[in-house]
Amino acid sequence: MDSHFAVIKVGGTAYVAFSGIKLAAGVDQSCRNLVPLPDELFSGLCMDGPDNPPMVHAGLLHLFLSVYTDNFFRNQMVEIMNTTKSLVITGHSVGGAIASLLALWLLSHLQTVCSVICITFGSPMLGNESYSQAILQERWAGHFCHVVSQHDIVPRLLFAPSPTPLIPLASSSCSFQFIFHLSEENKTLLFRIVLASLEVISKGECKSSFWPFGSYLFCTNMGAVCVDNGMLIVKLLYLTLLNGSPSSSLDDHLGYTHFIQKVHWQFIESRCFVGGNLPEASYEAGITLALESLGIASHELNSEDAKKALKEAKKSGRTRNHNSANLAIDLSKINPLRAQIEWYKASCDKSSDQMGYYDSYKQRGASKRDFKVNMNRIRLAKFWDSVIDKWEKNQLPYDFHKRAKWVNASQFYKLLVEPLDIAEYYRSGMHRVKGHYMQHGRERRYKIFDTWWNDGEVENGTDHTTAARSRFASSTQDSCFWAKVEEARDRLIKVRAEADARNFVKMLEDITKFDQYARRLIENKEVSKDVLAKNSSYTLFIEEWKEFQSQLQLVQAHFPGIPEGEMVP
């Protein structure tokens, strides 16, 4: 087959594999400098800003773009996405880097793809630390697994400084095939340069332009160990290379079939420990087995450093689950605060002033009850901000934001408490200082919770709004409903004084759209009954809107150039 990729379908899963050798044959011999990812292709990836953007190897990105723009490839991908439920993308060497960029493109744009997994073999480093952090922040790291054999030099090559004067090709070629054509003397020199560079980087003595992302599966003849912490990955890349040689660093790059077969059988069959007496403690036994799987004997000089790295990796994994468990405990502790706000809402809805939940809080006084509700609002916000902080720092399990417990809890919190935040925003006059809530005041946590909820709908094929309601919802299903009411009322005030005909018509269109939207919510009973309270802001809006509509004929006399049909909603 002449193509640089192959497609195989098994049931509902498609497998796309990229050939490193065939891709490398046509690779652009550009320098390995880092360049920003093109926004038009990776707009879904979180960018930290112009000062610290995610960047990738220029030559590898150029190669991906040449694949991406190929019509045959695009047609194949369209067919795959229309006919399969999941996609596994894989590649060896340079092909692995292209597989990673393809997976990233899919994750950035095609949220309807049910499942995307990328598995690479001997892939070179691809991007900088900002690139790695952006993938973590999007919670996409779990989609990438990079298989690295014990001494393979290609995944480690870009840690060497650039340029490397003694071996010019090391800095000028991104095909990574040049290493097989070096003299024995230069192979030895390159091995030493890479090993020395990894040592200083693994000790934190200098920063590297390239950084790992996703999970790394270290494979040897003795087994495999999986690590997902970037710094620990770099340490193990160094420690496992220590007992290698120039020849083994090349042989390993071509021997992945052998390694994967060995790992496959070792996972299926019961393992025999060959490194001596197994420690009695299960934790120490696990570390010892992992050390053996890395191909590092307990008597070797690097064994203690490797043990320490493995313990840090194990601790990192446990910490995520530990943090999640602690947050679950904290959630149970703050639930009474939420229950108190629910009680407050119910009492507002039954109050004789007939203002409802939102307006009662907006116009609250200095009572002990009002003060307590406000403090509960602040404490709940602090808790959920701490959840997001841990989530974004990769201190929680990868699937945390997909777990029903947290998706539902965050949604319940948002629907109940965001109306209070909106009320506080307009009560304090922040809309006059910063602008309206939707554009200038909405807290980031609510936007993230929107994403969690909507992503859950896409992944599980669930539509949360299809069930017909027989009575009004306990909380209005649009948590920003009251902010939209406030904007509509503000437009009603401004439109009366608007002298520009075009602006006048535009304001009327916006008010009319909101009116129609609100009526649909009410008709579908997707609002809480406090929306329809006699003295609520929404009821006042309806009265003001009807009054204004009755005056439109008078307004028409001031704008004779506008047909009446365009003015009257």
Side-chain angles (χ1 to χ4, degrees):
M1 177 180 172
D2 293 331
S3 177
H4 46 253
F5 74 98
V7 177
I8 299 175
K9 295 181 182 179
V10 180
T13 301
Y15 298 84
V16 179
F18 291 93
S19 166
I21 295 175
K22 291 181 179 179
L23 282 166
V27 76
D28 174 29
Q29 300 297 313
S30 61
C31 292
R32 67 174 192 175
N33 59 298
L34 288 159
V35 295
L37 287 164
D39 289 342
E40 63 273 16
L41 292 183
F42 301 97
S43 59
L45 190 66
C46 178
M47 306 292 181
D48 284 342
D51 296 333
N52 196 26
M55 302 181 79
V56 295
H57 187 290
L60 294 173
L61 177 61
H62 178 82
L63 182 56
F64 167 73
L65 294 176
S66 69
V67 173
Y68 172 81
T69 54
D70 179 78
N71 288 332
F72 177 70
F73 174 75
R74 293 287 289 274
N75 291 337
Q76 287 280 298
M77 292 305 300
V78 169
E79 181 184 352
I80 287 171
M81 290 180 288
N82 289 335
T83 59
T84 59
K85 295 181 179 179
S86 58
L87 178 60
V88 178
I89 309 169
T90 187
H92 173 251
S93 193
V94 172
I98 306 311
S100 293
L101 286 170
L102 174 60
L104 188 65
W105 173 70
L106 289 167
L107 291 168
S108 297
H109 284 276
L110 305 174
Q111 298 297 327
T112 54
V113 175
C114 182
S115 174
V116 176
I117 296 294
C118 178
I119 304 173
T120 72
F121 300 90
S123 173
M125 290 289 146
L126 181 57
N128 63 357
E129 190 168 2
S130 292
Y131 173 79
S132 176
Q133 288 299 320
I135 291 174
L136 278 175
Q137 190 166 333
E138 293 295 339
R139 315 308 295 171
W140 292 341
H143 292 269
F144 297 90
C145 178
H146 306 287
V147 182
V148 175
S149 58
Q150 187 175 9
H151 302 140
D152 184 359
I153 199 170
V154 171
R156 300 163 166 93
L157 187 61
L158 291 177
F159 286 109
S162 175
T164 304
L166 296 176
I167 309 172
L169 283 173
S171 62
S172 65
S173 172
C174 60
S175 72
F176 300 95
Q177 300 300 309
F178 74 92
I179 54 177
F180 295 97
H181 305 294
L182 295 174
S183 66
E184 292 302 317
E185 180 182 358
N186 277 344
K187 286 178 183 177
T188 300
L189 183 56
L190 179 60
F191 180 84
R192 290 175 179 172
I193 290 173
V194 172
L195 187 61
S197 301
L198 271 171
E199 181 179 15
V200 295
I201 295 169
S202 68
K203 292 179 178 179
E205 296 174 3
C206 76
K207 296 283 287 184
S208 171
S209 299
F210 292 89
W211 201 249
F213 68 96
S215 299
Y216 271 65
L217 186 68
F218 290 88
C219 289
T220 72
N221 286 323
M222 304 304 297
V225 171
C226 190
V227 181
D228 62 4
N229 178 283
M231 193 67 237
L232 297 178
I233 289 169
V234 174
K235 286 182 179 180
L236 291 179
L237 285 171
Y238 165 64
L239 293 170
T240 52
L241 188 64
L242 267 176
N243 56 7
S245 66
S247 60
S248 67
S249 69
L250 301 182
D251 293 341
D252 275 16
H253 186 64
L254 303 176
Y256 280 92
T257 301
H258 166 74
F259 285 120
I260 295 304
Q261 288 175 343
K262 291 282 290 186
V263 171
H264 173 73
W265 286 110
Q266 284 166 344
F267 274 115
I268 292 176
E269 297 178 348
S270 59
R271 291 191 53 189
C272 296
F273 180 65
V274 296
N277 295 324
L278 194 64
E280 292 184 6
S282 59
Y283 176 77
E284 290 296 332
I287 295 296
T288 303
L289 287 170
L291 190 67
E292 178 191 326
S293 295
L294 288 174
I296 300 175
S298 58
H299 64 271
E300 293 183 26
L301 293 177
N302 58 334
S303 64
E304 287 304 315
D305 288 335
K307 274 187 179 181
K308 184 178 179 181
L310 288 169
K311 288 180 179 180
E312 288 180 23
K314 197 172 183 68
K315 181 180 178 181
S316 175
R318 288 204 317 270
T319 299
R320 292 194 187 98
N321 292 325
H322 185 65
N323 287 341
S324 180
N326 283 340
L327 284 178
I329 294 171
D330 292 341
L331 178 64
S332 66
K333 290 179 179 178
I334 67 161
N335 275 339
L337 306 182
R338 193 185 71 184
Q340 290 170 15
I341 294 178
E342 289 180 77
W343 173 85
Y344 173 82
K345 181 180 185 303
S347 64
C348 290
D349 292 344
K350 294 176 182 178
S351 176
S352 59
D353 59 22
Q354 299 186 55
M355 288 194 297
Y357 178 50
Y358 173 78
D359 287 282
S360 293
Y361 184 76
K362 182 182 176 184
Q363 300 180 37
R364 69 186 185 277
S367 69
K368 184 177 179 180
R369 183 188 74 159
D370 292 331
F371 175 79
K372 190 172 185 178
V373 168
N374 189 47
M375 291 305 299
N376 287 352
R377 176 182 71 89
I378 294 171
R379 290 173 64 185
L380 285 170
K382 185 177 180 180
F383 166 76
W384 284 106
D385 283 344
S386 72
V387 171
I388 291 171
D389 183 62
K390 286 184 172 61
W391 178 67
E392 290 186 330
K393 290 180 177 177
N394 197 32
Q395 295 174 355
L396 294 171
Y398 284 128
D399 64 344
F400 178 85
H401 63 300
K402 299 178 182 178
R403 295 180 179 181
K405 174 187 180 70
W406 293 101
V407 173
N408 293 334
S410 62
Q411 176 73 359
F412 194 101
Y413 158 75
K414 183 186 71 173
L415 296 181
L416 180 66
V417 178
E418 188 168 14
L420 301 184
D421 284 5
I422 296 169
E424 182 63 23
Y425 190 81
Y426 285 93
R427 170 188 168 89
S428 62
M430 289 303 297
H431 62 294
R432 289 189 289 270
V433 178
K434 297 172 61 177
H436 280 293
Y437 176 87
M438 291 290 291
Q439 295 78 28
H440 305 287
R442 196 177 191 215
E443 293 289 348
R444 186 163 166 270
R445 78 181 82 94
Y446 296 126
K447 299 174 185 178
I448 291 173
F449 294 156
D450 285 344
T451 302
W452 289 9
W453 185 253
N454 294 330
D455 284 353
E457 288 185 353
V458 172
E459 287 212 3
N460 302 322
T462 304
D463 186 349
H464 298 301
T465 62
T466 53
R469 295 178 181 273
S470 59
R471 56 184 178 181
F472 288 111
S474 58
S475 294
T476 300
Q477 297 303 288
D478 179 355
S479 63
C480 291
F481 177 81
W482 291 107
K484 295 172 183 176
V485 171
E486 295 284 3
E487 285 196 54
R489 293 189 72 190
D490 186 54
R491 286 195 181 100
L492 264 177
I493 294 172
K494 291 178 178 178
V495 75
R496 296 175 189 275
E498 181 57 58
D500 184 274
R502 292 182 182 277
N503 290 341
F504 183 88
V505 172
K506 177 64 168 63
M507 285 184 181
L508 285 185
E509 289 176 350
D510 291 341
I511 297 169
T512 301
K513 286 178 182 177
F514 168 72
D515 181 38
Q516 294 170 346
Y517 169 72
R519 291 178 186 278
R520 284 197 302 272
L521 288 182
I522 294 168
E523 182 181 348
N524 294 332
K525 292 184 168 57
E526 292 179 8
V527 298
S528 173
K529 62 182 182 180
D530 66 306
V531 169
L532 301 176
K534 182 179 179 181
N535 297 315
S536 75
S537 291
Y538 176 72
T539 301
L540 293 177
F541 161 75
I542 292 298
E543 293 173 357
E544 293 161 357
W545 180 222
K546 286 180 179 179
E547 179 187 353
F548 183 80
Q549 286 175 308
S550 68
Q551 298 173 351
L552 279 179
Q553 287 184 343
L554 295 176
V555 177
Q556 173 68 21
H558 295 284
F559 298 103
I562 302 177
E564 185 174 353
E566 291 186 15
M567 179 168 291
V568 180

